[in-house]
Amino acid sequence: MCVPVQWVAMPFDPDRVTTLTFDSYSTIVDVEAAETALADRVSDPEPVSRLWRSRSLAYTFLANQIDAYKPFYELNRDALQFALDAHGVDVSTEERDEILAVYHELDVFDDVRDGMNKLYDAGYDLYVVSNGNPEMLESMVDFAGIGGLLEDTVSADEIATFKPNAEIYRHAAARTGTPIDRIVHVAGPTFDVQGAMAAGMQGAWLDRGNDPWGTFDGDPDLAIETFHDLADAMGV
């Protein structure tokens, strides 16, 4: 009989953290801002936007399971087309790609720059670890204005697998040159926090109020609502 292995949240320990890694979408930048790109072409953009996002995530999980990786921008394009088709929205390929391009200019959350500044000034190494492919991450960092605060970005494209596969977090630890247990990974999506913790990082759930924390597999090491809370928890 196979007994599943569960991780157990320990008291958050900022003293052993030297490196912080951050998710990108829904953590640093607001994916719900993509709804505005649909507004001129869709009479009711909210359900289309939500289906687009949920289908995009579903495709990442499926790609991991059936070994069918493709860069996230392409996968996200397929998810957008599905959402448009599901809601009977007929747009040209050019119009669809114009909608998709909003992912290069998503709004940064108000608390991000100030919170990152505090952590940077305190001497922590800061990285983005994301499903986004390198071109997406480059434009996100530039548009968010956080390039001077980051050591680097780590993309799922580097190892052709998506979160929450443990390999991406282990790869991130190797890329940062940091023992995995000295990293705290900060993310809004709960599955990303759970994946990081299962791989050996501390996990900080950034609760932006979109979804509750699932109770099926323990609690996050740290729950926060803003980057300011994160800085406070790190003692800076």
Side-chain angles (χ1 to χ4, degrees):
M1 180 178 178
C2 180
V3 178
V5 177
Q6 291 186 319
W7 48 262
V8 179
M10 303 294 289
F12 181 66
D13 183 6
D15 291 338
R16 64 184 170 96
V17 175
T18 60
T19 299
L20 291 95
T21 58
F22 300 90
D23 175 44
S24 53
Y25 305 111
S26 298
T27 303
I28 293 173
V29 292
D30 185 4
V31 296
E32 294 186 6
E35 187 178 319
T36 59
L38 291 161
D40 292 338
R41 300 173 176 87
V42 180
S43 58
D44 187 8
E46 182 179 359
V48 180
S49 180
R50 289 188 177 276
L51 181 57
W52 176 12
R53 177 61 175 165
S54 64
R55 179 60 54 153
S56 179
L57 291 175
Y59 284 166
T60 64
F61 299 151
L62 179 61
N64 278 358
Q65 290 299 313
I66 66 173
D67 194 22
Y69 177 86
K70 64 170 66 176
F72 185 74
Y73 199 76
E74 296 178 23
L75 183 151
N76 203 31
R77 178 196 60 209
D78 295 343
L80 171 58
Q81 187 64 60
F82 177 89
L84 293 169
D85 291 344
H87 286 273
V89 179
D90 185 18
V91 300
S92 68
T93 299
E94 182 179 357
E95 288 175 312
R96 181 205 62 194
D97 290 346
E98 287 174 356
I99 296 169
L100 181 64
V102 73
Y103 264 76
H104 289 296
E105 297 183 346
L106 292 172
D107 296 336
V108 61
F109 288 106
D110 291 341
D111 55 299
V112 169
R113 294 189 191 98
D114 187 50
M116 276 193 172
N117 262 308
K118 292 177 181 178
L119 295 164
Y120 176 85
D121 288 344
Y124 291 104
D125 291 332
L126 311 180
Y127 291 80
V128 166
V129 178
S130 174
N131 280 342
N133 43 290
E135 296 80 6
M136 294 178 72
L137 296 184
E138 182 179 0
S139 59
M140 183 210 74
V141 168
D142 288 346
F143 197 75
I146 57 174
L149 303 174
L150 297 174
E151 293 292 321
D152 206 349
T153 60
V154 181
S155 168
D157 201 56
E158 297 170 19
I159 58 170
T161 193
F162 293 113
K163 301 171 184 179
N165 189 316
E167 288 307 310
I168 191 169
Y169 306 102
R170 294 171 186 150
H171 173 70
R175 283 268 275 102
T176 66
T178 311
I180 200 166
D181 64 348
R182 298 184 72 82
I183 298 173
V184 58
H185 184 64
V186 184
T190 58
F191 72 87
D192 193 3
V193 181
Q194 292 165 326
M197 292 175 65
M201 295 178 176
Q202 292 193 81
W205 176 42
L206 182 60
D207 178 11
R208 295 209 181 270
N210 296 323
D211 294 297
W213 178 266
T215 58
F216 75 97
D217 201 15
D219 297 320
D221 293 311
L222 177 68
I224 52 177
E225 294 184 357
T226 68
F227 273 57
H228 303 297
D229 296 338
L230 175 63
D232 290 344
M234 297 302 298
V236 302

